[in-house]
Each structure stands twice: as structure tokens, then as C-alpha cells.
Amino acid sequence: MAQIHLNIQQEMELIRLIEFERAKSATAEGRGRRCAFPYRPDNQLQGELVSLGALALMPQTAPDGTTEPVVTITSAGYSFFTEKARRERELRRQQRRDYLLVLISGAFAMLCTVIGFLIGRMA
């Protein structure tokens, strides 16, 4: 699955949609159902999310037989936040590793300096 990269506004909109869907599915009659949101072609943010793959555009047939486009959250949209958290954990792990390497090399350099000073004083 390809990773999607969202800016802050896109993230906030996706969070809003997911929270709305979770609130709707928490009710007894909507348990486990996914929401379909109305497609608004004038909404630039929604269009960006559709083009990035966080939302999918789907046709929905109304009871009167007309077909209207709706958007739903894709699996990439749902997994974006877990992937983002995983990337942040990995970055923190690498930063801790780098910090530890610098600390060890500094301690080793200090030890070598002390040993060199002691050998120089003995000779």
C-alpha cells in the first residue's frame, strides 16, 4: 500500500470525518457501518483528499433512482494515522540511537585522552 502524505489541514479534515463516522457507528443502529459523505466539488480540501487517496469517490443510487456521487474514507485514510505514529516512533528510536553513539564516542575520546596523558607523564 502506498503511503499518503497529508498537510495539517488535510489531516484535520480526515480526523473530523473519521470521528464523525465513529460517532455515528457507535449508535445501536449504525454499529460497524461506514459513512458516506456527500461529494462537494466546490470543497478544495475534499478534492485534495480524494486525489491523494484518503477518500474515495463512489456513486450512490438514491431511492428515486438518481445517482449522486459520495465520498468514503479509504483504507489508506484509516491507516494514515497508525503509519504516522509508527514513523514518529521509528524517528525517536533513531534519534536515541544517534544520541547514544555520540555519547559513547565522546566517552571513548575522553578515556583515550586520559590514557595518553598518563602515558606521557610516565615516560
Side-chain angles (χ1 to χ4, degrees), residues 4 10 44-55:
I4 57 175
Q10 294 164 343
Q44 180 183 2
L45 199 54
Q46 192 181 59
E48 291 171 0
L49 288 171
V50 169
S51 67
L52 289 170
L55 298 177

Side-chain angles (χ1 to χ4, degrees), residues 43-123:
N43 187 342
Q44 180 183 2
L45 199 54
Q46 192 181 59
E48 291 171 0
L49 288 171
V50 169
S51 67
L52 289 170
L55 298 177
L57 190 60
M58 303 174 67
Q60 182 182 31
T61 306
D64 62 355
T66 61
T67 303
E68 295 183 12
V70 293
V71 292
T72 59
I73 303 169
T74 64
S75 60
Y78 287 117
S79 65
F80 170 76
F81 295 104
T82 55
E83 286 295 317
K84 181 180 176 185
R86 185 193 58 76
R87 286 191 308 263
E88 288 173 355
R89 278 193 312 271
E90 181 66 24
L91 179 64
R92 282 193 304 274
R93 188 189 69 76
Q94 288 176 353
Q95 287 173 342
R96 281 193 305 268
R97 180 180 170 269
D98 292 346
Y99 176 75
L100 186 60
L101 286 173
V102 168
L103 187 65
I104 289 171
S105 64
F108 185 70
M110 186 173 58
L111 179 65
C112 289
T113 302
V114 169
I115 291 173
F117 177 75
L118 291 176
I119 291 174
R121 295 285 288 175
M122 292 180 163

